[in-house]
Amino acid sequence: MIDQFTPPTRRQLLTMIGKAGGAAALYQAMTVMGHAKDSQFTGPPQLSGAKPGATVLVLGAGLAGMLAAYELTKAGYKVQILEFQGRAGGRNYTVRGGDTIAEIGSKQNVTFAPGNYLNPGPWRIPYHHRTVLHYCKELGVQLEPFLQINHNALIHSKKAFGGAPQPYRELMVDWKGHVSELLAKSLDAGALDTAVTAEDKAKLMEAMRGWGVLDKDMRYTKSDHVGEQRGWERPPGGGINGAPIPNDPSSLTETLNSGVWQTLGFYAEHVMQTTMFQPKGGMDHIGKGFAAKVGKLIRYNTRVTKIAQDDRGVTAAWTDTKTGATGETHADWMVCTIPAPVLNQIDFQVSAEKKAAIRALPYGNSVKIGLEMKRRFWETDHAIYGGISFTDQAISLVSYPSAGCFTDGPAVLLGAYPFGPGAYMLAGMTPEKRIQTALEQGSVFHPKEYKAEFLSGATVAWNRMPWILGCCATWTEESRAAHYQNLVSMEGRIVLAGEHCSYYGCWQEGALLSSLDAITRLHQRASAA
Amino acid sequence: MTGKIRGAVLALAGVTLATAASLATPGFAQDRPGPGGATVEVSTEGQEVYEQICQACHMADAKGGGEPGAMIPALAGNANLADKDYPIIVVMKGRGGMPWFNGVLTKEQIAAVITYVRGHFNDYHDPVSVADIDRIVAANPPVPECNTCGH
């Protein structure tokens, strides 16, 4: 059998390791082989052999709940889902023309043109969020690149350049130029001679000269080489005036005041690195993909009022928010994905420790505002194709659409996405005032066009969404230490899932990883029972 | 009168009542706007703090909202506010879905807004001072255990 002497392929080897040692061993092996380091995802769970007739009740038809229902159904469980809203998806949500947005205290009718949309919740998927990407593939959700970094987008600080926004490209190049010059000066003056060897010092000087684009005197000054990075006063052309003319770098002080180092740091974070993706046509195609599989299991408009369990099973009491009818649903097991701000108000039969964990989990707030403009002036007039312009005002940023570049007709900008104080300020306004404020503040980037081209807006303040009362869980090191394990532990016949039950807070990846972990433990317990 | 958030964070650096994490810079690896919004200024005047921060959830009339089982508590006509320590603890430490504002607002801002809410939306007119907040910080009491406070 010659086959025995052929080295196994990597896939064969991983399959063998997976069979022999389970998911943890597989993950470890994949990590050693240079794969999967950046996600705990090792593939869909291999659950099978549910006891005949075993039932699971899932509370919440967001991504965590629908993934649980999808995989548990495949494993042989009979699953039902109760959902507070009239739609599936939870925070996986897209608004389009014809939709209404019902916040506590207000209602909006969205009038975007066909094809235009706002993703009020998640809007980008890092390349290493393998669980989300896996299920997008499995569910047939088409992905396209999300344009995360745009060097020609702008940075605005009230404290820098007299409040005039500057291209990220220029600030980034000036930042490394000034830092390089200062390090070179320190090295040259011998200030670091006790910290670096002579050999490293020589390499550093070489590196600063190249990386910082310093001149022969190790200074960051106007030059063609600098122009090749930060752009030109007169760009290269043809014929008699073909020679480019560089422009003047900004001063160290103005570069510091711009805070560009924060933008550099932000883009350096693993979850903000490229490649980034988005579903074509709106984030809710992921929720729709799951709903196509498990939608028939969902009872909509169903507000859970009480959750109980005993030796034999679980019971959720509920009220139909449309008819007022009340009822109870029984099952053997439960996956509860109700967000903590709502769950802590429900009569919930779990231990004091788990209740304390649920109560100790506040949700941060966020607001998004979509602004539909008559035309893509950021592209046609400013050569900005996708990406993000940052501001220190309450709106925090303006993000340009990744899809549909070079098309005519109306397009939707993300006109605000703050957390923290800016989010509270905007959330406290009526939707109309929010949109007006976003137009005022965003005009700093595009004063000529921003208000003139505006057609309509739509906004979601997460703290005013009646089914969640917040954006996503806010953990601290202290609250993790005190409560995290108590929150995620399976207690009796009930296990919690959702982004709040993960270390990937506020990401769909966290919701899905949490769900996979929860149903794996549920299946183990159900199989042992 | 305005106080910058960054200043507020520095000013509260010595306060240890609740955890130090600021909601302006949300936690580990979460999706967030990035460096924007850094210099958003919150007023030091009670009514303006209410309008800029609190009414996002508690609404302009302080009557809260939502449906039974998913409520934002009313602050207007809220008997829990009779004891001024109660709102100080809740604002400093958070409770349930409500985040803490220690590290987000200054002690002056917190005193001013609680004084406003107790006096304007309720009939409790004794002012809350920074000394009251310092007293609570020193005593470090637990968050009150009332699952439906204010509902």
Side-chain angles (χ1 to χ4, degrees), chain B:
Chain B
M1 288 272 288
T2 58
K4 286 182 181 171
I5 290 299
R6 293 189 155 265
V9 174
L10 291 174
L12 278 172
V15 177
T16 54
L17 178 66
T19 49
S22 163
L23 296 178
T25 53
F28 173 75
Q30 83 173 50
D31 191 62
R32 60 185 187 283
T39 63
V40 172
E41 293 176 357
V42 179
S43 171
T44 54
E45 196 276 317
Q47 179 177 348
E48 289 176 9
V49 177
Y50 184 83
E51 290 167 359
Q52 292 172 345
I53 302 292
C54 312
Q55 84 175 26
C57 296
H58 295 284
M59 313 302 283
D61 59 7
K63 289 181 179 168
E67 301 180 35
M71 295 289 290
I72 296 166
L75 300 182
N78 186 331
N80 287 309
L81 303 185
D83 176 359
K84 64 185 173 185
D85 289 3
Y86 175 81
I88 296 173
I89 297 166
V90 171
V91 171
M92 293 294 279
K93 292 192 163 189
R95 205 184 67 77
M98 174 176 160
W100 58 89
F101 285 85
N102 174 26
V104 178
L105 300 173
T106 63
K107 286 188 274 188
E108 289 78 7
Q109 288 169 324
I110 291 170
V113 76
I114 295 175
T115 298
Y116 172 72
V117 168
R118 293 178 77 242
H120 183 77
F121 296 116
N122 297 274
D123 207 17
Y124 312 122
H125 296 285
D126 52 322
V128 170
S129 65
V130 170
D132 286 321
I133 294 174
D134 287 334
R135 175 173 53 77
I136 295 293
V137 169
N140 195 18
V143 177
E145 289 280 334
C146 47
N147 204 31
T148 54
C149 290
H151 289 179

Side-chain angles (χ1 to χ4, degrees), chain A residues 104 123-124 262 266 269 303 344-345 359 362-363 390-393 417 419 424-425 428 463-464 478 503 505 507, chain B residues 6 19 28-34 36-37 39-41 52 55-57 59 68 71 96-97 99-100 145 147:
Chain A
I104 296 170
W123 61 315
R124 51 189 164 188
Q262 294 172 305
F266 178 69
E269 289 178 37
R303 181 165 60 78
N344 77 25
Q345 300 186 34
R359 269 205 304 275
Y363 274 35
F390 293 102
T391 171
D392 58 2
Q393 303 171 93
Y417 173 32
F419 265 89
Y424 290 113
M425 282 183 193
N463 58 311
R464 290 186 174 191
E478 292 80 359
Y503 270 74
W507 289 97
Chain B
R6 293 189 155 265
T19 49
F28 173 75
Q30 83 173 50
D31 191 62
R32 60 185 187 283
T39 63
V40 172
E41 293 176 357
Q52 292 172 345
Q55 84 175 26
C57 296
M59 313 302 283
M71 295 289 290
W100 58 89
E145 289 280 334
N147 204 31

Side-chain angles (χ1 to χ4, degrees), chain A residues 84-124:
Chain A
F84 182 99
Q85 296 191 76
R87 55 168 275 273
R91 281 164 279 182
N92 178 282
Y93 180 34
T94 300
V95 293
R96 302 178 179 82
D99 290 344
T100 53
I101 300 170
E103 293 182 3
I104 296 170
S106 70
K107 193 168 172 183
Q108 300 163 67
N109 295 309
V110 183
T111 60
F112 291 161
N116 284 343
Y117 65 87
L118 167 71
N119 289 327
W123 61 315
R124 51 189 164 188

Side-chain angles (χ1 to χ4, degrees), chain A residues 71-90:
Chain A
E71 290 293 350
L72 288 170
T73 301
K74 282 202 279 184
Y77 292 91
K78 189 168 177 289
V79 180
Q80 283 182 281
I81 308 176
L82 304 182
E83 169 54 44
F84 182 99
Q85 296 191 76
R87 55 168 275 273

Side-chain angles (χ1 to χ4, degrees), chain A residues 242-364:
Chain A
I245 300 172
N247 53 19
D248 290 310
S250 304
S251 70
L252 172 64
T253 300
E254 287 286 49
T255 306
L256 284 167
N257 288 346
S258 76
V260 66
W261 52 275
Q262 294 172 305
T263 310
L264 286 158
F266 178 69
Y267 286 138
E269 289 178 37
H270 195 197
V271 289
M272 294 300 160
Q273 290 172 14
T274 56
T275 304
M276 199 73 91
F277 296 100
Q278 64 179 12
K280 280 187 183 173
M283 187 58 82
D284 69 346
H285 285 289
I286 300 178
K288 286 175 173 169
F290 276 114
K293 301 285 186 188
V294 301
K296 59 185 181 298
L297 310 176
I298 303 173
R299 190 185 199 289
Y300 291 102
N301 303 306
T302 304
R303 181 165 60 78
V304 172
T305 54
K306 185 176 179 180
I307 302 165
Q309 61 171 327
D310 60 24
D311 292 346
R312 288 168 304 160
V314 298
T315 303
W318 46 261
T319 301
D320 187 306
T321 57
K322 292 286 180 209
T323 66
T326 58
E328 285 189 347
T329 303
H330 306 278
D332 298 328
W333 307 95
M334 175 182 286
V335 178
C336 175
T337 71
I338 297 175
V342 176
L343 187 58
N344 77 25
Q345 300 186 34
I346 293 175
D347 185 353
F348 191 19
Q349 191 186 336
V350 286
S351 67
E353 290 76 20
K354 195 176 287 294
K355 281 184 185 170
I358 295 162
R359 269 205 304 275
L361 195 49
Y363 274 35

